[in-house]
Amino acid sequence: FHSGEREEKCIIEDIPTDTLVIGNYKVQRWDTYKQEFLESAPGLGMFVTVSSPSAEVLLSKLYGPQGTFSFTSYLSGEHIICLQSNSTRFIAFAGSKLRIHLDIRVGEHFLDESVVQAKDKVNAVNFRLEHLIEQIHHISKEQNYEREREEKFRKTSEETNSNILWWAVVQTLILISIGVWQMKSLRDFFISKKLV
């Protein structure tokens, strides 16, 4: 995505509890002379801030123009990941555009192929098996989290439907009582005017 030099960009990730999140990013600065994004942005760093659903700051750190950050979620819900450059230019002079390449991986532990090749075949199979077991645990956590969210949604829907039903009953009772009151008032009026 593209960003202004002093602009903060945030991404919302829905993450289950006790899940490792790894983010890799790379920043490129727009060169007005070459009219293209430079491969690297020397001297430019990124502030990475991660907030939990309870607005607790899990990570707040300054990294270089290219880096990796990671954190573990302690609550399930929407985590906010914000990136902002550490440019010290005044806002009037900080008109440069930035291109930020961001890769966020939730709950995955990636295999390092060089480590796998260095071990013999039995260890490689064992290593891959552990990796698969880890992925199964992550999928199980994801399913439990989605199940919790679905239960909350169902409960909210049922409460809303119940409230709507009671509101309709109250409206009906109010309309009936107003109708009875109007008929009684009209009858009393006719009696007082001796029309009945």
Side-chain angles (χ1 to χ4, degrees):
F1 58 88
H2 291 166
S3 172
E5 194 168 337
R6 299 287 302 265
E7 185 180 3
E8 181 179 49
K9 291 283 187 167
C10 294
I11 295 167
I12 298 174
E13 281 288 326
D14 204 2
I15 304 170
T17 187
D18 292 330
T19 302
L20 177 68
V21 178
I22 300 171
N24 295 312
Y25 73 90
K26 178 175 141 183
V27 181
Q28 296 175 309
R29 181 182 279 161
W30 178 256
D31 188 357
T32 53
Y33 301 111
K34 294 182 180 178
Q35 293 295 311
E36 65 181 4
F37 286 99
L38 298 177
E39 246 341 278
S40 66
L44 187 67
M46 293 298 280
F47 283 111
V48 178
T49 307
V50 179
S51 301
S52 70
S54 63
E56 177 187 350
V57 177
L58 298 177
L59 173 72
S60 180
K61 192 172 178 184
L62 175 63
Y63 294 91
Q66 184 171 337
T68 300
F69 62 90
S70 64
F71 66 94
T72 302
S73 64
Y74 296 105
L75 291 173
S76 57
E78 294 180 343
H79 288 68
I80 301 171
I81 302 168
C82 296
L83 300 168
Q84 182 179 20
S85 73
N86 69 338
S87 174
T88 56
R89 294 188 195 181
F90 291 112
I91 293 177
F93 301 109
S96 183
K97 289 189 293 185
L98 301 176
R99 177 185 287 167
I100 302 170
H101 301 270
L102 179 64
D103 179 28
I104 296 177
R105 297 177 180 169
V106 178
E108 294 185 21
H109 300 279
F110 295 96
L111 292 173
D112 185 359
E113 293 298 328
S114 62
V115 172
V116 173
Q117 290 172 359
K119 296 181 179 184
D120 59 76
K121 291 293 182 183
V122 175
N123 285 341
V125 169
N126 190 19
F127 185 69
R128 287 188 185 275
L129 185 61
E130 287 175 6
H131 177 71
L132 288 174
I133 290 170
E134 220 172 87
Q135 284 183 332
I136 288 169
H137 288 304
H138 172 68
I139 291 169
S140 175
K141 272 194 236 176
E142 284 279 340
Q143 286 176 336
N144 289 336
Y145 176 61
E146 291 301 324
R147 191 175 298 117
E148 288 173 14
R149 288 185 59 198
E150 193 269 333
E151 286 174 7
K152 283 182 192 174
F153 179 74
R154 186 180 325 122
K155 187 176 180 181
T156 303
S157 296
E158 288 172 358
E159 287 174 0
T160 303
N161 287 339
S162 174
N163 290 341
I164 290 172
L165 174 67
W166 285 111
W167 179 244
V169 168
V170 168
Q171 280 183 324
T172 304
L173 291 175
I174 289 172
L175 286 173
I176 289 171
S177 62
I178 288 175
V180 167
W181 176 78
Q182 283 180 336
M183 287 174 42
K184 184 183 177 311
S185 297
L186 192 59
R187 187 174 141 255
D188 291 345
F189 174 76
F190 287 148
I191 288 173
S192 68
K193 294 296 182 182
K194 298 182 181 174
L195 295 173
V196 177

